[in-house]
Amino acid sequence: MPEGPSIIILKELVTPFAGQKVIAVSGNSTLPIDRATGKKIIDFKSWGKHFLICFKDFSIRIHFLLFGSYRINEEKEGTPRLRLSFKNGFINFYACSVKIIEEPLDDTYDWSADVMSEDWDPKSARKKLKRAPAMLACDALLNQDIFSGSGNIIKNEVLYRTKIHPLSKIGSLPPQKLSELIDEVRNYSFDFLKWKKAYVLKKHWLAHTKKTCTRCKGPMQKEYLGTTRRRTFFCPVCQKLYD
DNA sequence: CCGGTTGTTCAGCG
DNA sequence: GCGCTGAACAACCG
């Protein structure tokens, strides 16, 4: 569920409810979610992996983390964390993190960091990366302040596509390689979106979960790298270490 | 049936 | 008070 492109799909699926009044709210969330009852949804937005339900005076932020899910006009086993009903249907969110945001979203979110956004600004990402020369490439690609929406799959695929070893230091990447990295996060995210919609995402993985390198036919390496020790798949031959 | 994971937050430590 | 690390949480697949 979680990476940025999946949230774009959700946003598209809920468009029938944009502008609709919430006629009932339920769920096992401990927050005062009933506040949405009777209120009109102004818009649905997203920032990376955050799904945002916007009302006039506040917003509800949904984060699916690793295991969250949703159903639209469809039930599923278990109590939803949040359920919003409309006269033309309902949305259920399960096992997700719910947060209420009081301030205007423009005050909370740096839209230029969102890889899928029309406000995405590669120059801004570059500036942030320049400020963190010691950061490892595998950590940079999971950093939501720099690449909001990028996740572990996107990380592995982008490093493989750009032939950058996950343990490369950001400050050691030649300028053109750095540009390539930044551009490829957005490029691959849109491929991810296209393939996910067509239910063929896994088929197109070149690195993630792979045992053999499609380029050199050598073995792929699997290690738990970076500050978060996330699963990292890479080809030690084709992906160059910039140290 | 158990182990593992497309993620994040927070307590506890030095 | 800071940065870092590991635990906790969650549900479903293989």
Side-chain angles (χ1 to χ4, degrees):
Chain A
M1 171 70 332
E3 301 195 32
S6 302
I7 304 300
I8 300 292
I9 293 172
L10 168 58
K11 212 165 58 172
E12 290 175 8
L13 292 173
V14 297
T15 50
F17 305 127
Q20 294 280 319
K21 194 165 84 175
V22 176
I23 57 172
V25 178
S26 62
N28 62 14
S29 168
T30 54
L31 297 179
I33 48 173
D34 49 301
R35 194 172 152 188
T37 312
K39 305 242 166 79
K40 195 173 103 175
I41 293 182
I42 307 292
D43 203 1
F44 293 106
K45 295 184 188 236
S46 61
W47 181 81
K49 302 165 190 169
H50 297 210
F51 177 64
L52 302 159
I53 307 164
C54 311
F55 297 92
K56 186 162 162 280
D57 300 315
F58 68 101
S59 304
I60 297 177
R61 187 212 72 176
I62 303 289
H63 197 305
F64 292 99
L65 294 107
L66 213 43
F67 308 115
S69 61
Y70 63 85
R71 291 291 185 280
I72 296 166
N73 301 329
E74 192 185 311
E75 300 293 349
K76 178 186 127 156
E77 197 73 13
T79 313
R81 177 115 333 130
L82 174 67
R83 175 190 176 98
L84 300 177
S85 304
F86 309 90
K87 68 168 191 282
N88 59 341
F90 62 90
I91 324 171
N92 285 349
F93 298 99
Y94 305 87
C96 55
S97 158
V98 177
K99 206 171 152 183
I100 294 175
I101 300 174
E102 306 287 352
E103 62 273 20
L105 294 180
D106 288 350
D107 295 356
T108 314
Y109 291 110
D110 169 11
W111 305 107
S112 81
D114 182 355
V115 165
M116 306 289 293
S117 169
E118 55 189 17
D119 295 324
W120 161 248
D121 181 7
K123 287 194 288 301
S124 171
R126 193 185 189 90
K127 250 181 253 166
K128 292 170 194 168
L129 290 166
K130 282 285 180 192
R131 267 184 259 132
M135 190 184 276
L136 302 180
C138 59
D139 285 328
L141 287 166
L142 293 175
N143 187 310
Q144 301 300 296
D145 293 328
I146 306 174
F147 297 112
S148 173
S150 174
N152 207 37
I153 296 172
I154 295 175
K155 174 195 82 178
N156 284 326
E157 293 299 312
V158 167
L159 290 173
Y160 184 80
R161 282 182 167 199
T162 55
K163 303 185 189 174
I164 296 171
H165 192 289
L167 294 177
S168 296
K169 291 199 190 67
I170 290 300
S172 305
L173 295 175
Q176 177 263 345
K177 208 65 192 168
L178 186 63
S179 305
E180 211 183 307
L181 177 71
I182 296 166
D183 292 343
E184 200 51 39
V185 182
R186 183 167 163 97
N187 283 342
Y188 178 72
S189 294
F190 280 96
D191 282 341
F192 185 124
L193 175 63
K194 176 181 71 192
W195 290 328
K196 177 101 184 170
K197 279 181 176 173
Y199 305 102
V200 292
L201 179 65
K202 280 186 197 187
K203 201 179 85 181
H204 289 274
W205 285 345
L206 295 177
H208 199 249
T209 73
K210 291 297 170 183
K211 293 209 159 54
T212 310
C213 173
T214 37
R215 290 200 190 97
C216 73
K217 313 298 175 201
M220 293 289 281
Q221 217 159 312
K222 175 191 168 187
E223 284 186 55
Y224 292 81
L225 303 180
T227 52
T228 52
R229 310 276 145 80
R230 298 295 302 280
R231 212 158 54 127
T232 308
F233 296 87
F234 62 100
C235 173
V237 175
C238 297
Q239 291 174 246
K240 184 173 169 179
L241 179 63
Y242 299 88
D243 203 6

